[in-house]
Amino acid sequence: MLKKRRNTNIVSIGDLRIGGNQPIRIQSMLTSETTNVDACIQEIKRLDAVGCEIIRLTVPNQKSIESLCLIKQEMKKIGINRPLVADIHFNPQLAINVCEFVEKVRINPGNFADQKKFKKREYTDLEYEDELEKIEKKILPLIKNLKKYGCALRIGTNHGSLSDRIMNRFGDTSIGMVESAMEYLRIFRKNKFNNIVLSMKASNSLVMIDSYRLLVKKMDSEKMFFPLHLGVTEAGSGLDGRIKSAVGIGTLLCEGLGDTIRVSLTEPSEEEISVAKSILQSTRSRIFKTDFISCPSCGRTYFDLERTSKDIKSKTSHLKGIKIAIMGCIVNGPGEMADADFGYIGAGPGKVNLFYGKTCVKKNIPSENALDELIVLIKEKGMWINP
Ligand code: SF4
């Protein structure tokens, strides 16, 4: 059974909202150096053109914050209003300073205030509590600025960068990842800052899935409903990277989890967006385009499925939300076209039947006219829009 989407808090990232019943947002991260303002602007333009809704960039030093201001100014000039997220590691002061210039800050609880020196050491409960107090002290000025500038925050836990403290107590585990995020969440909540999104990324899809599930359980038990940012980190490139991301992100979406996604590919950042859209469309989490259902073809097929599918797609792929089935034969086609709105089904050599839902509405159309007839049918049903 399909799971209902988890009810989460709404988080504002500039003018954009995520969580609740907002559409599941797509985001990416610039590969350009933040100090190369021109390259960043060109990349932002490409991401904006393909529909990336949130753009993250790395902020490793104070100079990057200055560049960020120039990037913001230029974006305003050219009319791109996408929220920017500053990605911070190892330097709490940068996170504090950058709040004024971005819509969201991402911190990694593994290295925000904790040590990451791969040291082995046992902590007594008292020492552990002391460490948490030290962390809270470092977080307080960040909370002040997040509130002051209306900024959102992502607590972005990564499997590969858990702190020494967490590693010593919980090991390199999903439980460790969850505890790492929960410690921070409790501090933010105690200090009345709730404009927070969470992520639990790992390069291993199974660890990633397990960690998000565990985090949700833990949050539920503490009555927390923060939205989730889903991603398989360092997924790689090409087919493998896409499948790994689809397995990790898609599984959780099917379970009703996830409010924003990022597909991490070792490719130009704009390549991530079409993959993210396909994952959302395949899980019916968010619809961007026409949904095509087509059989693989077999010995019963009455027409060239590959060519016909291409022709049909070229004329109808702009019909967002409509489902069109293209099936090679009448024997199995009607039954297997699932919940398609329209069916284009081989009826015999050179003949096509057209379906509206499960009803055959036009029979034995010569195949050379069938695509035009399909378009007429879509128009008759009031579902056509001009490209
Ligand atoms: Fe073969 Fe017909 Fe099934 Fe297509 S729908 S795979 S042509 S049996």
Side-chain angles (χ1 to χ4, degrees), residues 11-68:
V11 166
S12 296
I13 305 169
D15 295 338
L16 193 88
R17 283 143 67 88
I18 72 169
N21 58 7
Q22 294 293 307
I24 297 174
R25 305 293 185 185
I26 293 179
Q27 55 179 294
S28 182
M29 182 165 178
L30 299 190
T31 56
S32 310
E33 272 183 45
T34 309
T35 47
N36 187 343
V37 174
D38 282 346
C40 287
I41 288 294
Q42 292 314 317
E43 199 175 349
I44 288 170
K45 279 186 187 167
R46 293 194 296 275
L47 282 168
D48 177 62
V50 291
C52 177
E53 296 169 294
I54 302 170
I55 298 169
R56 182 160 48 115
L57 64 183
T58 185
V59 176
N61 46 40
Q62 189 59 35
K63 197 163 185 298
S64 306
I65 298 185
E66 288 154 26
S67 304
L68 229 163

Side-chain angles (χ1 to χ4, degrees), residues 295-298 300-301 305 327-329 332-333 336:
C295 77
S297 86
C298 72
R300 293 182 192 270
T301 312
L305 251 156
M327 311 297 272
C329 81
N332 286 333
E336 290 180 8

Side-chain angles (χ1 to χ4, degrees), residues 180-290:
S180 172
M182 290 303 294
E183 290 175 350
Y184 273 61
L185 265 190
R186 291 179 196 120
I187 295 172
F188 280 100
R189 191 163 73 162
K190 180 178 146 203
N191 290 284
K192 302 195 172 26
F193 182 80
N194 292 299
N195 210 30
I196 299 175
V197 181
L198 289 139
S199 63
M200 291 275 122
K201 295 194 188 179
S203 56
N204 176 333
S205 308
L206 300 181
V207 173
M208 172 259 186
I209 292 167
D210 190 45
S211 308
Y212 278 101
R213 283 176 179 158
L214 248 161
L215 174 68
V216 167
K217 244 193 208 165
K218 195 76 186 163
M219 281 203 288
D220 282 349
S221 73
E222 297 191 29
K223 305 239 171 324
M224 293 181 180
F225 305 98
F226 294 101
L228 296 177
H229 162 134
L230 303 183
V232 177
T233 194
E234 295 119 19
S237 59
L239 185 63
D240 288 346
R242 284 159 174 76
I243 291 182
K244 215 186 220 192
S245 300
V247 168
I249 298 171
T251 301
L252 292 164
L253 288 172
C254 289
E255 294 175 9
L257 303 180
D259 300 282
T260 174
I261 68 170
R262 193 242 168 148
V263 173
S264 303
L265 295 178
T266 318
E267 293 180 28
S269 55
E270 60 270 22
E271 298 296 329
E272 298 176 354
I273 308 307
S274 60
V275 184
K277 286 181 175 171
S278 283
I279 295 173
L280 289 173
Q281 174 108 8
S282 303
T283 52
R284 301 262 168 106
S285 305
R286 185 171 171 187
I287 304 299
F288 294 91
K289 50 192 175 184
T290 316

Side-chain angles (χ1 to χ4, degrees), residues 54-177:
I54 302 170
I55 298 169
R56 182 160 48 115
L57 64 183
T58 185
V59 176
N61 46 40
Q62 189 59 35
K63 197 163 185 298
S64 306
I65 298 185
E66 288 154 26
S67 304
L68 229 163
C69 297
L70 298 175
I71 292 169
K72 270 260 152 195
Q73 280 169 17
E74 187 60 23
M75 283 172 73
K76 204 168 174 196
K77 233 191 264 168
I78 57 178
I80 296 180
N81 182 27
R82 302 285 191 190
L84 294 185
V85 184
D87 199 61
I88 309 282
H89 294 267
F90 297 107
N91 193 334
Q93 193 56 47
L94 285 176
I96 296 161
N97 295 351
V98 83
C99 290
E100 191 178 344
F101 307 105
V102 289
E103 283 74 22
K104 185 173 160 201
V105 175
R106 180 268 168 129
I107 59 166
N108 179 341
N111 60 34
F112 181 75
D114 266 322
Q115 297 272 310
K116 182 68 194 159
K117 291 184 176 155
F118 302 96
K119 271 196 191 148
K120 280 222 179 308
R121 137 166 204 212
E122 289 294 323
Y123 288 85
T124 64
D125 286 352
L126 207 62
E127 285 171 333
Y128 203 90
E129 280 307 312
D130 270 359
E131 291 295 313
L132 288 180
E133 269 176 35
K134 278 187 208 153
I135 290 174
E136 180 164 1
K137 273 198 192 120
K138 286 200 179 164
I139 286 178
L140 287 177
L142 173 63
I143 294 180
K144 193 172 155 221
N145 269 11
L146 288 167
K147 285 182 181 171
K148 181 172 173 189
Y149 296 107
C151 216
L153 177 80
R154 170 156 67 98
I155 300 175
T157 309
N158 270 17
H159 184 221
S161 56
L162 294 173
S163 70
D164 292 344
R165 183 175 50 79
I166 289 283
M167 288 280 275
N168 278 295
R169 183 157 282 207
F170 300 97
D172 182 11
T173 61
S174 303
I175 297 171
M177 288 174 71

